């Protein structure tokens, strides 16, 4: 396909909205995602062949989005993970039928977020899963990972997952919240701007209260040990900064599985790969591409929308997507200044309103300064390459004052997840010595963006097809 | 390869009934043993339900690992399906698929 004006990568709320808007304004647009259908993580569709009998708010929003896409005629390429983008832009993806190459003058990167989990002893045990992962299991797959659960971490996913487990007939042994009641009260005014979402949250709390579930505020997981029948989780009291208060408030729970998550981190793989300028913004989840209000980055033709540009939630992502689609249309001369300004005004207004709530959630989920400091030395920081905190610290002491140096010396961040799981922790450890997260930097963006099987890329290209240059005369 | 199967948990996962109508179940094989699963559901979910929690061994320490992020990021649930390494959480169940755990790194 060479006849494209725009490729949108990521078909969640932001990306799908960007594609719909751009398509409406006459752009030839392709929407690409690695999943089999639109919706992203938050509005994920049930598996193909499954029929939904009951739909919650997110399910209905996802169904509306998928119906709008189907009715619009936007071209889509699902099950196509993008693994390489080069200047200009050339996009390489792998689909069910093999490798594909697209060219486009504009990209909207709407790749959403991944979850931050700050390591603790036992976080690598099978049966310990991310809070966001637990949400996907519960909502999209309708699967309970085990019977007795412990739910730990921070942010609105805590009550959401716990209530989901109860509803499914599982047991919640405890909710372990980094935040205090006061932290929650502090975000209440912002939450009041979305009475619908606040109401849903209060509904969850009421369910948990009725079931007699205890919320251990200002506590965190100290360790998890595998036992004969499941997992033993130890929790303890933490201070404001998320650091343990020497052994205080220690309790043990026997459970079958644990859901743990410490907030969301913007996915910046594409903007880093293409060399856009970034900055560290703690309250928006970490490193984000610098962009204008329409999502334009420092790289011409590259825009960002949604949580990948800083955590603000699904409602804001929809409006950011619309603005990005609108901006690409304007930049390509599809509408004049007046029409652009007229169209942008109401979207920007809705975006700011939605961002208010999203920002409050993001604050609850932001990394606390003391969280990383209390990771024991022998605990694994990098799951892929089995790198411990002690090894990271030794490299830092030897002079690794920046993340890529640390990677080269320890292999931390070099495994198949490409530093997505350990990046936040490693960067915080480096920052403790080099002074700030800005000074510690972040992984240089590298292809492949997703692991791709080499034989798929090669196709039927064989050894004999290799062009051999004539040997130089001796 | 067998080492990762030792820690099958006594309490496995379960399908939640009521909200979804699932297609009729099919059989797949996991490490040579038959497992009943729903076509279309994520292989990671099917494995959790079947009690296969440990899916691979970590590269340096050989520790058991299983599905963690469930969104295709962490690569901890990578298994062999019909001879190809895939993240189980991103792979829908198909009738007759042959799954081998413990393949990556261990």
């Amino acid at each position: 396909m060479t006849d494209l004006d725009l490729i949108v990568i990521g078909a969640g709320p932001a990306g799908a909205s960007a594609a719909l808007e751009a398509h409406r304004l006459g752009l030839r647009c392709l929407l690409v995602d690695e999943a089999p259908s639109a919706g992203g993580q938050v509005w994920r569709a049930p598996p193909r062949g499954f029929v939904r009998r009951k739909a919650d708010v997110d399910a209905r929003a996802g169904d509306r989005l998928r119906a709008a896409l189907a009715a619009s005629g936007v071209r889509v390429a699902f099950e196509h993970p993008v693994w390489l983008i080069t200047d200009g832009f050339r996009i390489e993806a792998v689909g069910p039928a093999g490798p594909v190459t697209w060219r486009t003058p504009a990209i909207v990167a709407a790749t959403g977020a991944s979850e931050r989990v700050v390591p603790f002893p036992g976080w690598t045990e099978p049966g310990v899963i991310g809070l966001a992962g637990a949400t996907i299991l519960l909502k999209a797959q309708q699967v309970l990972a085990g019977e007795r659960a412990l739910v730990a971490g921070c942010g609105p996913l805590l009550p959401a997952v716990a209530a989901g487990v109860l509803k499914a007939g599982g047991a919640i042994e405890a909710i372990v919240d980094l935040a205090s009641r006061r932290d929650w009260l502090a975000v209440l005014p912002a939450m009041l701007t979305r009475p619908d979402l606040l109401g849903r949250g209060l509904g969850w709390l009421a369910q948990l209260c009725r079931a007699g579930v205890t919320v251990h505020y200002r506590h965190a997981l100290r360790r998890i040990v595998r036992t004969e029948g499941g997992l033993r989780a130890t929790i303890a009291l933490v201070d404001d900064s998320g650091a343990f208060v020497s052994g205080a408030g220690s309790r043990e729970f026997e459970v079958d599985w644990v859901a743990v998550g410490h907030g969301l981190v913007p996915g910046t793989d594409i903007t880093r790969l293409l060399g856009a300028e970034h900055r560290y913004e703690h309250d928006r989840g970490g490193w984000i591409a610098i962009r204008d209000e329409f999502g334009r980055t420092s790289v011409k033709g590259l825009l960002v929308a949604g949580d990948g540009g800083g955590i603000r939630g699904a409602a804001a992502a929809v409006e950011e997507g619309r603005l990005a689609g609108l901006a690409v249309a304007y930049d390509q001369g599809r509408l004049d200044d007046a029409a652009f300004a007229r169209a942008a005004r109401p979207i920007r207004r809705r975006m700011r309103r939605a961002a208010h709530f999203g920002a409050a959630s993001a604050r609850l989920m932001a990394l606390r300064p003391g969280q990383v400091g209390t990771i024991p030395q022998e605990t694994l920081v990098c799951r892929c390459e089995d790198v411990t905190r002690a090894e990271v610290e030794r490299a830092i002491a030897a002079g690794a004052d920046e993340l890529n140096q640390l990677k080269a010396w320890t292999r931390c961040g070099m495994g198949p997840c490409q530093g997505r799981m350990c990046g936040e922790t490693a960067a915080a450890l480096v920052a403790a010595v080099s002074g700030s997260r800005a000074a510690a930097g972040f992984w240089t963006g590298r292809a492949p963006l997703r692991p791709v099987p080499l034989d798929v890329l090669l196709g039927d290209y064989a050894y004999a097809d290799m062009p051999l240059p004539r040997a130089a005369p001796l | 390869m067998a080492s990762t199967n030792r820690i099958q948990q006594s309490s496995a996962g379960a399908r939640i009934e009521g909200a979804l109508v699932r297609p009729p179940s099919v059989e797949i094989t996991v490490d040579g043993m038959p497992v009943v699963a729903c076509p279309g559901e994520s292989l990671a979910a099917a494995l959790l339900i079947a009690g296969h929690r440990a899916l691979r061994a970590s590269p340096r320490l050989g520790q058991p690992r299983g599905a963690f992020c469930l969104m295709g990021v962490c690569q901890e649930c990578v298994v062999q399906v019909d001879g190809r390494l895939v993240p189980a959480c991103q792979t829908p169940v198909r009738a007759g698929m042959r799954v081998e755990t413990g393949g990556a790194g261990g």
Side-chain angles (χ1 to χ4, degrees):
Chain A
M1 270 186 249
T2 49
D3 53 339
L4 289 170
D5 300 315
L6 168 66
I7 289 183
V8 179
I9 305 172
S17 305
L20 282 169
E21 186 73 10
H23 178 82
R24 193 179 65 78
L25 295 165
L27 294 189
R28 292 163 301 178
C29 169
L30 175 70
L31 178 62
V32 183
D33 199 296
E34 59 189 345
S37 54
Q41 304 299 354
V42 60
W43 294 344
R44 201 182 257 254
R48 202 173 284 160
F50 285 43
V51 181
R52 199 154 37 207
R53 215 182 271 153
K54 292 181 215 152
D56 69 358
V57 186
D58 289 333
R60 283 197 295 273
D63 289 344
R64 275 199 301 276
L65 185 79
R66 286 181 283 274
L69 269 178
S72 71
V74 170
R75 272 193 279 176
V76 292
F78 292 120
E79 294 176 276
H80 277 78
V82 169
W83 65 275
L84 174 65
I85 306 174
T86 49
D87 288 344
F89 301 102
R90 201 178 111 151
I91 298 182
E92 306 282 351
V94 178
V100 204
T101 304
W102 298 299
R103 285 170 202 284
T104 175
I107 293 176
V108 173
T111 52
S114 59
E115 191 166 45
R116 178 197 300 117
V117 181
V118 178
F120 53 87
W123 76 301
T124 53
E125 287 295 344
V128 179
I129 64 178
L131 258 185
T135 314
I136 293 167
L137 266 185
L138 279 169
K139 285 173 66 174
Q141 301 285 332
Q142 292 284 321
V143 164
L144 205 48
E147 217 174 283
R148 301 161 301 167
L150 183 128
V151 180
C154 54
L157 280 181
L158 280 179
V161 167
V165 167
L166 283 183
K167 204 172 140 209
I172 297 288
E173 297 300 315
I175 298 177
V176 184
D177 194 341
L178 263 184
S180 63
R181 280 196 186 83
R182 193 147 36 92
D183 294 335
W184 282 96
L185 282 176
V187 297
L188 196 60
M191 300 266 173
L192 283 168
T193 61
R194 285 294 301 275
D196 52 335
L197 295 181
L198 180 64
R200 185 154 64 135
L202 292 175
W204 292 330
L205 290 180
Q207 274 168 272
L208 295 166
C209 191
R210 274 198 301 277
V213 173
T214 309
V215 184
H216 300 271
Y217 291 103
R218 187 73 24 115
H219 277 69
L221 273 168
R222 185 117 222 200
R223 81 184 72 86
I224 290 176
V225 181
R226 194 188 330 139
T227 62
E228 203 57 34
L231 300 168
R232 179 175 304 130
T234 308
I235 67 166
L237 191 70
V238 293
D239 62 18
D240 259 350
S241 77
F244 288 108
V245 184
S246 61
S250 184
R251 277 190 187 81
E252 280 185 357
F253 298 92
E254 305 289 334
V255 294
D256 298 307
W257 67 289
V258 172
V260 57
H262 300 117
L264 302 176
V265 182
T268 53
D269 315 340
I270 291 173
T271 48
R272 278 185 289 120
L273 182 68
L274 290 171
E277 284 172 35
H278 290 71
R279 70 161 170 262
Y280 182 74
E281 251 190 68
H282 179 261
D283 280 358
R284 299 201 70 174
W287 283 95
I288 50 176
I290 297 172
R291 53 173 179 166
D292 68 10
E293 213 183 347
F294 298 94
R296 298 183 189 103
T297 68
S298 64
V299 174
K300 190 174 179 294
L302 175 64
L303 290 83
V304 174
D307 279 352
I311 307 302
R312 284 293 180 265
V318 167
E319 310 303 341
E320 286 184 15
R322 283 185 184 137
L323 280 180
L326 186 68
V328 174
Y330 170 74
D331 292 345
Q332 295 188 8
R334 301 303 169 107
L335 61 173
D336 62 23
D337 289 8
F340 179 52
R342 202 164 46 243
R345 207 170 300 126
I347 309 177
R348 287 166 76 168
R349 200 165 46 233
R350 287 197 302 269
M351 182 178 79
R352 286 200 208 99
R353 201 164 48 224
H356 203 54
F357 182 90
S361 299
R363 270 201 302 284
L364 275 176
M365 295 190 290
L367 188 65
R368 290 165 186 251
Q371 269 181 278
V372 167
T374 43
I375 300 171
Q377 292 293 328
E378 68 283 5
T379 300
L380 290 181
V381 167
C382 169
R383 303 170 66 107
C384 296
E385 298 286 334
D386 285 341
V387 184
T388 62
R389 175 176 179 183
E391 288 169 289
V392 169
E393 297 286 8
R394 271 201 296 280
I396 294 170
D401 58 356
E402 180 271 336
L403 217 48
N404 293 294
Q405 184 66 70
L406 175 76
K407 178 177 172 180
W409 285 357
T410 62
R411 296 191 63 85
C412 180
M414 213 181 270
C417 90
Q418 288 153 308
R420 290 180 181 92
M421 303 309 297
C422 62
E424 278 284 295
T425 307
L429 289 172
V430 173
V433 173
S434 56
S436 69
R437 283 292 299 267
F442 206 65
W443 317 119
T444 303
R446 299 258 185 243
L449 295 167
R450 285 282 186 273
V452 269
L454 270 178
D455 60 331
V456 173
L457 298 184
L458 280 171
D460 48 16
Y461 191 87
Y463 192 79
D465 299 327
M466 216 179 285
L468 288 178
R470 280 220 341 252
L474 287 171
Chain B
M1 208 171 269
S3 69
T4 54
N5 290 333
R6 271 206 309 270
I7 60 155
Q8 273 198 20
Q9 310 287 319
S10 56
S11 171
R15 291 182 185 86
I16 306 164
E17 303 299 334
L20 280 180
V21 184
R22 293 180 165 87
S25 50
V26 296
E27 203 174 276
I28 63 175
T29 62
V30 181
D31 299 331
M33 300 298 285
V35 165
V36 173
C38 282
E41 79 186 349
S42 95
L43 178 58
L47 290 169
L48 271 175
I49 292 162
H52 288 272
R53 281 192 167 187
L55 301 180
R56 64 178 205 113
S58 71
R60 256 171 83 195
L61 304 173
Q63 293 179 344
R65 298 287 169 78
F68 184 66
C69 80
L70 290 145
M71 53 173 88
V73 176
C74 75
Q75 310 291 317
E76 291 277 39
C77 66
V78 166
V79 293
Q80 290 219 24
V81 172
D82 299 327
R84 181 179 288 278
L85 286 175
V86 293
C89 70
Q90 302 296 93
T91 306
V93 166
R94 273 178 293 103
M97 73 198 317
R98 288 197 334 274
V99 183
E100 297 283 338
T101 68

